[in-house]
Amino acid sequence: MEEYIVSLDNLKKIADELLNNHCRVIGTTSENKFKELNYAEELVLNPGAVPTSSSFKEFFFPKTEPLFFYKQNHSNVDLFNPIQDKSKIVIIGAKPCDAASLPIISKVFNWDYKDDLFNSRYDNSLIIGMSCHYSDEFCFCNDLGSSPENMKGSDVFLKPLADNYFKVVSVTPKGAEFINEYQKYFEKDLGKNKSLERKEENPKHFDYDKVKTWLDNNFENKFWDTAGEMCLGCAQCAFVCPTCHCFDIVDEQNGSCAGRRAKNWDACQFSLFTKHASGHNPRDNQEKRYRQRISHKFKYYMDKFDEVLCTGCGRCSRGCPVSLDILQIVEEINSLSGNSNSIQ
Amino acid sequence: MNELKQICKEALTEKKARFIIAYREDKNKKTKPFIARTPEDAEQIIFNHQAVNNLAVYFPRFKNSGEGKIGIVVKSCDLKAVTALIQENQIKRDDLFIIGVNCSGVVRDTTMEFSNDNTQIKCKYCQAKTPPYYDELAEESKEFEMPDDDQAELMARIEKMSSDERLEFWSAEFEKCIKCYACRQVCPMCYCEKCIVEKSEPQWIDTSSTARGNFSWNIIRAFHMAGRCIGCHECERACPMDIPLTLLTRKMGMVASSEFGYRHGMSLTEPALIGTYSTSDKEDFIK
Amino acid sequence: MDNIYKPELVEIKDIIDETPDIKTFRLQFKNPELQSSFAFKAGQFAEYSVFGEGECTFCIASSPTRPEYLECSFKLAGKTTSAMTKLNIGDTMGLRGPYGNSFPIEQMKGKNVVFIAGGIGLAPVRCIIWNVLDLRDQFKDITIIYGARTVSDLVYKNELEDWKSMSGIKTVVTVDPGGETPDWKGEVGFVPTIVEKVSPSGNDTVAIICGPPIMIKYTFPVLEKLGFKEDNIITTLENRMKCGLGKCGRCNIGSVYVCKDGPVFSYKDLKTLPQEY
Ligand SMILES: Cc1cc2nc3c(=O)[nH]c(=O)nc-3n(C[C@H](O)[C@H](O)[C@H](O)COP(=O)(O)OP(=O)(O)OC[C@H]3O[C@@H](n4cnc5c(N)ncnc54)[C@H](O)[C@@H]3O)c2cc1C
Ligand code: SF4
Ligand code: SF4
Ligand code: SF4
Ligand code: SF4
Ligand code: SF4
Ligand code: FES
């Protein structure tokens, strides 16, 4: 297979063509946020940037979306499917910890029943990933079997080279097709452009298997009494997280006889999330709700779907108003795991 | 620093407080809230420019939680929340052991060092570096240069806008809201057991994060803060979407002050503005 | 697009006022083809909706052996249920389902069956009772023990009489102490106590039990004492649900999603799960 490189300018030209072809092009901007681009010039690719404060999941799983619309006239009811935006979604510049989230959450959205709202967008998307040259005390992709160069979830993968060039790796057939389609913007790699080396390896923090084993055996453990003690129960962590996928279903009337049923982001850190209509709440304090967050991410999802429900991007910790750091929590579990019998 | 630790240790040893809501540093040198229950825990207590959290937010959790005083480490601005909560009958002064700290400003961005550029706006209009009352006081205050009140400029700009322009400004800001409710959860004055957005019969506010739902949420929240916001700026710091939430609450506080001569959280004895009526209250806004 | 969240339309054919706050709706699909193709098993649930108000989860309370209609019994609890109490015969609702697993009817065949229910908990149990009664010769002795807080809180009053008059079924109805009326002829006492009193043999017997968590909690040990095997004690859970499809993430108990892996669990299964229900 041919090896290609592409310049930033040509990437923007591709973005331009995509926009002209009515694709939804999502890229990072000068504010370091994922945004649906209006014009290609807005695109800023910075492999050394910190992960964006919010993930790009809203382009696949919006913060609110209609499930259907209804019209009601006494006992006559008509239901209408939402009109689907058939435009192709192209993400440019996803970090490995962003791109990897899509195949992970796709599993729950396709567990038995297929959520076509999610699928219609995901199936019709192209993810251009990019290796990451950033790392801070909140990053831990390495600990979860990934790395700053991991291509999971990407269709095309870019590796930064000197002089605003990128080496292009075709990861999936979809990616190969894309490279083919925009062939004219790619150049043969003659090995002239030096690749930008990452300065240092990301450190290893914990052994996932050890963490999983501890979680398997310690649903009841005094560790949980203090782990989430200071958590305020907002949903910043879940809403910025690329892998959190919980939602609520609500009806909204618009006038007296029409309206919609909507699917809205929701999160296990909210106190009403699991409250029964009777008033009984199986997770009646924040400590239990925090246990759910950690356990769902590092145990339950693995048990069910053979994936960790976390890519190690560190967003939840960077944004937490009380600096609750998920990595430090997992590290603590890791260290408890060595002597899991003595701390019951 | 040692003085604060010492005070807290003594308070816990002598059972002046059954626990102390305070700050500690984690292994990455990040300052965060924690609860010190034993004199050994108190070893971890620190105070610095990164101690941004308003710890009064944790009070509701300890309502009716047992005998003995609740200890809390407060900056001058945090104490306003404590005072306001006492004024609103949420907590009793006698149930608290207040450890005041002299503060010389806290950071705006917790990922960066404290500097003149990285200081919270509230520190600009903070009137007392030393909490006006306390059970114990720790820390020497250091002089620091006041940051520019860049919010005042923005405020002036918005005041000059036509109502359409203002609507446009706020619509664009609220559009960003994702209804994570971090602003509500960090706010020491948001203590309702059941928030209005959780009331479904009738449903006052659309829970969806649509333009309409976001607008009603953000405006209702602001209204519920009218004359009650004590200006800790925690909501704005917590908002992951960078919405300038305190523009609204601060402005309303300014109106409460100019129209009613009242500032919330400043007096243990004065009744809360929101709960009082006086025949001398202005009525010219009723049209 | 295949929209898993869009319900089918059903018409309310009949409304029965069971108690001051419980009603039973008899529903039929507006599309007759759906009515004949809709298949479900005893123990499954569905999502019922009032458009503009919301959606909520109830078990299907009628028996799969009677496919001409579907029934649900609901208790006034919140937004959607209160909207439902205002509906009339002929009104339209939405229905999605059936979802979840079902009672292990094959495992019950050839055995004695004891049904134990409290309050509205009789709804899912009623479904399997009729299912079993419609296949009567495939089961041995049948015992029904049902309790409610007061006489007026008893649901399916006519059916309780039917069951009492059927031969080969032992039906015991009880109300909590203080809930009896002067002419009450049934038992007085909490369900666990009455189970102990009736004392069905656990030998070769399956117990189906549903009701308030507290009732279930105190009945389990009684059943164990009577010799019931852990995997012959079957119950159904009511974790908060929204989607019923294993997507919205709120019904899990540990790694188990009640909407997909449940709602029916044996006591043996429950013992392996964390206390999160
Ligand atoms: C598998 C399964 C089977 C079930 N079967 C039946 C059945 O056969 N019959 C039956 O009657 N029920 C059944 N239930 C329970 C039923 O689903 C609930 O009672 C119903 O969903 C309530 O819906 P609602 O819209 O009326 O309540 P909601 O308006 O949704 O109110 C309850 C919820 O809203 C919030 N809430 C709203 N208002 C308040 C408030 N004032 N205080 C506290 N919280 C509040 C809470 O989160 C609470 O959990 C079943 C549940 C499950 C999971
Ligand atoms: S961990 Fe932090 S961000 Fe998440 S709910 Fe708790 S306080 Fe909010
Ligand atoms: S849990 Fe935190 S670190 Fe993990 S994927 Fe979500 S935001 Fe990133
Ligand atoms: S961590 Fe909580 S909000 Fe996130 S997916 Fe899991 S249950 Fe949902
Ligand atoms: S509204 Fe904001 S600034 Fe005012 S008290 Fe609440 S968190 Fe502090
Ligand atoms: S913190 Fe910001 S995004 Fe979250 S609900 Fe408040 S205003 Fe909206
Ligand atoms: S009800 Fe939504 S996941 Fe079970």
Side-chain angles (χ1 to χ4, degrees):
Chain A
M1 169 140 187
E2 293 264 29
E3 304 230 311
Y4 293 105
I5 58 171
V6 65
S7 67
L8 180 60
D9 281 344
N10 277 359
L11 267 177
K12 286 185 182 168
K13 283 186 190 139
I14 294 175
D16 217 23
E17 266 198 42
L18 288 165
L19 286 168
N20 288 333
N21 292 333
H22 307 288
C23 293
R24 299 177 65 193
V25 183
I26 286 102
T28 40
T29 62
S30 57
E31 288 184 314
N32 196 30
K33 290 194 159 82
F34 279 108
K35 176 175 177 284
E36 186 163 350
L37 305 180
N38 296 316
Y39 42 94
E41 266 315 309
E42 287 178 287
L43 182 71
V44 174
L45 288 183
N46 181 1
V50 52
T52 53
S53 57
S54 296
S55 77
F56 60 47
K57 75 173 168 197
E58 62 169 286
F59 298 102
F60 300 91
F61 168 38
K63 58 184 181 178
T64 176
E65 73 173 311
L67 294 170
F68 60 85
F69 295 89
Y70 68 87
K71 260 196 197 137
Q72 194 161 20
N73 185 358
H74 299 288
S75 65
N76 262 334
V77 177
D78 289 307
L79 304 182
F80 308 90
N81 274 324
I83 297 162
Q84 284 192 74
D85 188 347
K86 298 251 165 62
S87 328
K88 182 172 181 144
I89 296 175
V90 181
I91 307 268
I92 308 184
K95 283 182 187 281
C97 57
D98 288 318
S101 67
L102 289 167
I104 295 176
I105 56 172
S106 175
K107 292 201 175 169
V108 64
F109 284 124
N110 287 288
W111 179 27
D112 218 351
Y113 302 96
K114 310 255 170 289
D115 185 328
D116 280 348
L117 295 159
F118 174 83
N119 288 340
S120 63
R121 301 188 188 98
Y122 185 34
D123 293 347
N124 195 17
S125 70
L126 182 99
I127 315 297
I128 306 180
M130 179 176 66
S131 54
C132 172
H133 288 228
Y134 176 85
S135 139
D136 64 15
E137 69 269 33
F138 301 113
C139 292
F140 57 103
C141 62
N142 300 42
D143 298 283
L144 298 171
S146 180
S147 77
E149 304 233 291
N150 194 290
M151 300 181 207
K152 177 174 173 176
S154 296
D155 296 302
V156 174
F157 197 76
L158 306 174
K159 293 180 175 179
L161 303 172
D163 309 320
N164 273 330
Y165 265 84
F166 298 89
K167 186 169 169 60
V168 182
V169 184
S170 152
V171 188
T172 62
K174 236 196 224 177
E177 205 177 292
F178 172 81
I179 294 172
N180 217 6
E181 196 177 336
Y182 293 92
Q183 186 83 57
K184 62 179 177 208
Y185 295 113
F186 296 97
E187 302 163 38
K188 276 208 186 98
D189 183 9
L190 304 172
K192 284 199 298 204
N193 299 61
K194 272 215 334 256
S195 59
L196 289 187
E197 289 301 324
R198 276 182 58 84
K199 275 184 228 80
E200 55 200 274
E201 277 294 297
N202 285 354
K204 264 293 229 173
H205 305 88
F206 60 84
D207 175 353
Y208 173 71
D209 292 337
K210 262 176 84 179
V211 171
K212 173 71 166 61
T213 308
W214 190 87
L215 290 172
D216 285 343
N217 298 304
N218 290 283
F219 182 84
E220 299 291 348
N221 189 298
K222 70 175 196 289
F223 171 74
W224 298 119
D225 298 346
T226 48
E229 187 176 33
M230 303 321 281
C231 170
L232 293 171
C234 63
Q236 182 276 146
C237 48
F239 285 11
V240 301
C241 172
T243 57
C244 275
H245 53 263
C246 287
F247 59 86
D248 189 13
I249 297 178
V250 296
D251 280 29
E252 275 169 2
Q253 203 125 350
N254 203 343
S256 61
C257 49
R260 63 170 203 160
R261 182 162 294 159
K263 178 184 182 196
N264 294 336
W265 287 354
D266 204 345
C268 62
Q269 298 307 292
F270 288 140
S271 60
L272 291 185
F273 192 63
T274 52
K275 188 166 173 183
H276 294 198
S278 65
H280 170 67
N281 193 348
R283 292 187 208 125
D284 54 2
N285 64 37
Q286 206 56 39
E287 290 79 356
K288 289 183 191 166
R289 298 191 274 272
Y290 194 71
R291 173 176 62 193
Q292 160 69 13
R293 178 166 180 79
I294 299 299
S295 305
H296 190 211
K297 301 228 156 258
F298 297 94
K299 167 174 162 58
Y300 306 157
Y301 208 78
M302 177 55 80
D303 288 342
K304 270 253 100 97
F305 301 112
D306 207 23
E307 299 264 10
V308 182
L309 189 65
C310 172
T311 63
C313 68
R315 288 188 165 87
C316 51
S317 312
R318 278 183 212 101
C320 176
V322 295
S323 308
L324 214 86
D325 183 339
I326 196 166
L327 172 56
Q328 288 187 39
I329 295 289
V330 178
E331 281 177 302
E332 278 176 48
I333 294 176
N334 185 65
S335 63
L336 289 176
S337 190
N339 50 345
S340 56
N341 295 326
S342 61
I343 35 95
Q344 285 288 322
Chain B
M1 175 86 80
N2 288 330
E3 202 187 335
L4 174 63
K5 264 184 208 170
Q6 204 47 46
I7 291 171
C8 294
K9 236 161 122 173
E10 264 174 41
L12 287 168
T13 317
E14 293 163 22
K15 307 250 179 320
K16 289 189 216 158
R18 58 188 157 113
F19 57 81
I20 299 172
I21 314 173
Y23 305 93
R24 70 173 172 99
E25 221 166 44
D26 70 17
K27 70 186 206 19
N28 291 336
K29 298 262 167 263
K30 256 209 130 51
T31 303
K32 53 170 76 164
F34 93 119
I35 292 175
R37 295 195 162 81
T38 62
E40 295 78 63
D41 288 350
E43 275 303 325
Q44 296 181 54
I45 293 179
I46 54 134
F47 183 79
N48 57 30
H49 293 301
Q50 306 275 338
V52 285
N53 309 75
N54 188 337
L55 302 177
V57 71
Y58 289 108
F59 283 159
R61 207 172 288 188
F62 300 110
K63 231 178 174 176
N64 311 323
S65 67
E67 288 290 304
K69 295 191 185 208
I70 297 173
I72 184 169
V73 173
V74 291
K75 310 185 277 291
S76 176
C77 53
D78 302 338
L79 189 72
K80 287 190 225 159
V82 178
T83 310
L85 289 169
I86 295 170
Q87 279 178 293
E88 295 186 14
N89 295 320
Q90 292 304 306
I91 195 140
K92 293 197 190 73
R93 172 68 181 93
D94 289 346
D95 292 341
L96 301 175
F97 185 78
I98 298 173
I99 301 149
V101 280
N102 272 316
C103 171
S104 12
V106 291
V107 293
R108 194 181 295 197
D109 179 347
T110 54
T111 64
M112 293 190 326
E113 291 285 304
F114 180 74
S115 71
N116 196 25
D117 291 335
N118 189 22
T119 309
Q120 293 222 1
I121 300 160
K122 66 175 174 187
C123 304
K124 166 76 181 174
Y125 55 86
C126 175
Q127 291 177 335
K129 308 292 166 231
T130 305
Y133 64 95
Y134 43 77
D135 294 305
E136 295 279 357
L137 180 70
E139 299 287 301
E140 281 299 304
S141 168
K142 285 179 254 15
E143 276 306 306
F144 71 106
E145 214 179 314
M146 292 290 193
D148 288 337
D149 188 354
D150 43 10
Q151 191 175 50
E153 289 160 37
L154 182 54
M155 233 175 210
R157 192 151 61 81
I158 295 171
E159 270 158 20
K160 283 202 205 87
M161 288 180 182
S162 69
S163 60
D164 281 351
E165 284 168 337
R166 231 178 277 169
L167 184 67
E168 200 179 313
F169 174 86
W170 285 112
S171 300
E173 288 298 341
F174 294 155
E175 167 103 39
K176 300 192 285 191
C177 173
I178 53 176
K179 291 237 174 137
C180 67
Y181 302 126
C183 49
R184 175 187 75 190
Q185 295 306 102
V186 292
C187 176
M189 302 313 294
C190 270
Y191 50 70
C192 293
E193 269 168 41
K194 199 158 183 185
C195 173
I196 188 161
V197 291
E198 285 158 2
K199 294 193 177 145
S200 62
E201 293 176 88
Q203 186 91 46
W204 295 102
I205 298 183
D206 285 355
T207 52
S208 300
S209 186
T210 52
R212 184 171 85 170
N214 284 357
F215 217 92
S216 13
W217 158 240
N218 284 281
I219 292 297
I220 289 259
R221 194 191 80 86
F223 274 11
H224 286 185
M225 286 301 141
R228 292 183 61 238
C229 168
I230 50 83
C232 64
H233 284 236
E234 279 290 90
C235 49
E236 188 163 320
R237 186 183 66 83
C239 177
M241 307 314 285
D242 302 327
I243 302 172
L245 296 167
T246 57
L247 271 177
L248 287 170
T249 48
R250 184 177 173 197
K251 172 70 188 172
M252 285 188 304
M254 287 158 79
V255 172
S257 164
S258 64
E259 300 297 295
F260 300 94
Y262 178 84
R263 292 185 58 208
H264 203 36
M266 299 305 279
S267 154
L268 278 173
T269 48
E270 201 179 345
L273 175 67
I274 207 79
T276 47
Y277 172 74
S278 149
T279 45
S280 63
D281 282 351
K282 286 192 188 172
E283 286 176 350
D284 55 357
F285 58 91
I286 304 172
K287 291 199 177 109
Chain C
M1 181 176 81
D2 208 12
N3 190 340
I4 52 174
Y5 301 102
K6 196 171 85 179
E8 298 296 342
L9 300 177
V10 290
E11 185 179 324
I12 304 176
K13 288 292 180 187
D14 198 7
I15 299 179
I16 301 147
D17 290 315
E18 302 282 357
T19 76
D21 63 355
I22 299 176
K23 283 177 194 254
T24 297
F25 280 4
R26 179 168 288 192
L27 306 165
Q28 225 168 45
F29 285 96
K30 289 208 153 182
N31 176 349
E33 273 170 39
L34 271 171
Q35 188 61 49
S36 46
S37 65
F38 188 85
F40 71 96
K41 297 199 183 99
Q44 288 194 293
F45 64 92
E47 294 294 332
Y48 302 76
S49 45
V50 182
F51 299 103
E53 299 293 341
E55 205 166 33
C56 50
T57 317
F58 310 124
C59 67
I60 303 173
S62 52
S63 167
T65 50
R66 300 172 183 200
E68 319 79 62
Y69 55 81
L70 282 174
E71 282 179 345
C72 68
S73 298
F74 65 93
K75 188 177 173 135
L76 177 61
K79 191 177 182 198
T80 314
T81 46
S82 85
M84 281 176 72
T85 57
K86 294 183 193 110
L87 296 180
N88 298 310
I89 293 173
D91 283 347
T92 302
M93 290 181 60
L95 187 142
R96 299 191 280 127
Y99 299 130
N101 66 356
S102 54
F103 289 115
I105 198 147
E106 292 308 318
Q107 178 192 330
M108 294 153 63
K109 283 185 183 164
K111 294 198 175 98
N112 306 313
V113 188
V114 181
F115 298 103
I116 303 166
I120 180 93
L122 186 56
V125 178
R126 174 212 197 206
C127 166
I128 179 94
I129 291 179
W130 283 118
N131 197 165
V132 164
L133 291 182
D134 287 347
L135 309 167
R136 182 66 187 91
D137 50 356
Q138 303 187 30
F139 303 87
K140 298 210 293 205
D141 293 348
I142 293 175
T143 309
I144 300 172
I145 300 171
Y146 174 55
R149 265 187 321 124
T150 70
V151 174
S152 66
D153 288 317
L154 293 166
V155 297
Y156 309 131
K157 292 190 181 72
N158 294 338
E159 283 156 82
L160 290 172
E161 290 310 314
D162 290 350
W163 296 333
K164 274 187 206 157
S165 64
M166 286 184 188
S167 63
I169 308 178
K170 182 167 189 178
T171 304
V172 181
V173 182
T174 180
V175 294
D176 291 355
E180 68 270 26
T181 50
D183 57 349
W184 173 246
K185 295 196 185 61
E187 297 281 340
V188 175
F190 295 110
V191 169
T193 324
I194 301 302
V195 174
E196 211 163 358
K197 189 169 159 195
V198 174
S199 186
S201 159
N203 194 14
D204 203 25
T205 310
V206 175
I208 305 277
I209 164 166
C210 184
I214 185 90
M215 178 202 102
I216 297 184
K217 192 175 152 200
Y218 287 108
T219 309
F220 280 156
V222 175
L223 291 174
E224 279 190 301
K225 233 170 48 196
L226 291 169
F228 282 80
K229 289 206 303 228
E230 282 176 2
D231 50 354
N232 279 340
I233 304 175
I234 315 289
T235 187
T236 152
L237 294 180
E238 290 200 352
N239 277 40
R240 182 92 182 133
M241 294 185 183
K242 282 282 177 178
C243 69
L245 301 159
K247 312 262 177 274
C248 75
R250 77 194 59 229
C251 69
N252 73 298
I253 302 176
S255 305
V256 164
Y257 281 59
V258 177
C259 68
K260 291 271 288 111
D261 306 312
V264 176
F265 293 92
S266 72
Y267 186 37
K268 191 178 173 194
D269 299 333
L270 283 189
K271 282 193 159 169
T272 66
L273 295 180
Q275 282 282 332
E276 247 189 348
Y277 45 86

